[in-house]
Amino acid sequence: MRRLGRLLRRAREESNRSQTEAAKLVGWSLPKLGRLEAAETRRIKPDDLAALAELYSVGADTLAMWQELAAQAKERGWWAKYRKSGIFTDDLPDFESEASAIRTYEPQVIPGLLQTPEYAEQILREGQAQDDGAIAARVDARIRRQDILHRHQPPEYWAIIDESALRRGMAGFPEVMVDQIKHLLRMATRSGVTIQVLPYTAGAHAASSGSIVIMDYAEAVDPSIVYVESYAASLMMEEPAEINRVSSVFSHVSASALSGAESAEFLRAILTEAESGSDV
């Protein structure tokens, strides 16, 4: 949806029209056109796109592309019902679904796209006072997000997990964590998935301030996005300087982390410790 919004804005600008003028010429309110260009609405009528195509004098091929993007946006909007209930308070699933590559560093928990349902439930129960129904809905939403890694053309996925996330889980809920680590090992064997562990022995590192998610896109019209989440709020950043700075941090953390093969051995060692009853 973000891509369509940018394309509509670019077409308007290339036709040398302001938002106010364009909205008036097609008989719309200014907020309606503004919502389309800002990707704040997912249901777009084909006739509305046709009206804009005529106004901006774009060809049939461009209109067809707009209509295809609008149809895709509607199909991908499965998370709308979760947003209405307050489970999703931002557009992260939307941005994930369109990304061609996702890079993430997580210091405290297993990244959401790699969590098992049991692990996700445990984390939610530990962190928030909610009834069983609310927790079940949140777990379901989190697992639904993972569909992007199983589709026909999944994004490249690169996750760096701090050792503390592994150790804390193993100490708190070892049975759940054993299955979670086995899942990480399975996912690490998939094409396009890279999992690294940042061990304690790496010492101080560049991402000490918290978790990172960087989403890249195949089309030049879609700049990368950095997603940063805290307990109180989440933040999306798109400025080139911000993207470059966070990407540099991720590269430094990756250089400090174990390689993919070393990370797999590290995960197997934790499983061996758990199975032997050693302290973890």
Side-chain angles (χ1 to χ4, degrees):
M1 189 60 202
R2 184 177 68 129
R3 182 177 307 157
L4 177 58
R6 288 181 181 276
L7 290 173
L8 293 176
R9 183 173 71 247
R10 186 168 68 178
R12 174 179 56 76
E13 291 172 346
E14 289 177 349
S15 73
N16 296 314
R17 289 183 171 87
S18 67
Q19 265 194 357
T20 301
E21 180 186 6
K24 182 177 181 180
L25 288 171
V26 292
W28 296 355
S29 67
L30 179 59
K32 177 177 177 177
L33 181 57
R35 287 193 297 271
L36 285 180
E37 293 187 1
E40 294 176 352
T41 182
R42 188 163 298 278
R43 294 185 177 277
I44 305 174
K45 297 178 181 178
D47 288 348
D48 286 347
L49 291 176
L52 292 177
E54 182 178 358
L55 177 63
Y56 302 150
S57 299
V58 303
D61 289 345
T62 296
L63 175 57
M65 179 181 63
W66 290 358
Q67 292 173 335
E68 181 179 357
L69 289 172
Q72 291 174 355
K74 184 177 179 180
E75 291 172 0
R76 290 171 175 167
W78 59 265
W79 50 88
K81 68 176 182 180
Y82 295 105
R83 184 179 286 114
K84 289 179 181 179
S85 61
I87 292 176
F88 289 137
T89 57
D90 53 45
D91 294 321
L92 178 60
D94 198 351
F95 295 131
E96 285 178 335
S97 73
E98 296 185 353
S100 59
I102 301 173
R103 293 169 285 164
T104 183
Y105 164 69
E106 181 55 67
Q108 300 296 332
V109 297
I110 305 302
L113 294 182
L114 295 174
Q115 293 179 6
T116 64
E118 295 77 15
Y119 178 90
E121 179 179 350
Q122 189 68 49
I123 291 297
L124 290 168
R125 288 191 182 280
E126 293 283 342
Q128 305 177 43
Q130 301 178 77
D131 60 38
D132 290 346
I135 289 175
R138 289 182 179 275
V139 169
D140 180 64
R142 188 163 300 182
I143 301 307
R144 285 289 304 277
R145 279 176 52 209
Q146 298 176 6
D147 287 349
I148 64 170
L149 297 181
H150 305 287
R151 68 192 186 197
H152 176 59
Q153 292 183 316
E156 295 285 323
Y157 187 70
W158 186 350
I160 304 174
I161 305 171
D162 198 282
E163 181 177 352
S164 61
L166 303 168
R167 299 292 185 184
R168 181 174 293 107
M170 193 61 79
F173 34 91
E175 292 184 0
V176 168
M177 200 62 195
V178 164
D179 288 339
Q180 174 63 70
I181 291 177
K182 289 179 179 178
H183 178 64
L184 292 178
L185 286 167
R186 288 192 297 270
M187 291 298 296
T189 66
R190 299 188 58 158
S191 176
V193 175
T194 300
I195 297 177
Q196 290 184 275
V197 174
L198 182 68
Y200 292 146
T201 54
H205 56 84
S208 57
S209 61
S211 62
I212 295 170
V213 178
I214 307 169
M215 292 166 282
D216 301 313
Y217 300 86
E219 299 296 331
V221 71
D222 298 325
S224 298
I225 293 177
V226 165
Y227 176 81
V228 178
E229 185 178 23
S230 68
Y231 180 78
S234 60
L235 176 66
M236 299 282 188
M237 298 183 289
E238 298 184 63
E239 293 299 321
E242 297 170 332
I243 302 300
N244 291 337
R245 183 172 64 252
V246 177
S247 293
S248 177
V249 168
F250 184 88
S251 295
H252 280 90
V253 175
S254 176
S256 298
L258 301 175
S259 68
E262 291 169 337
S263 296
E265 288 301 315
F266 189 93
L267 293 171
R268 293 189 189 100
I270 292 181
L271 287 178
T272 299
E273 292 175 1
E275 291 168 354
S276 66
S278 301
D279 291 337
V280 294

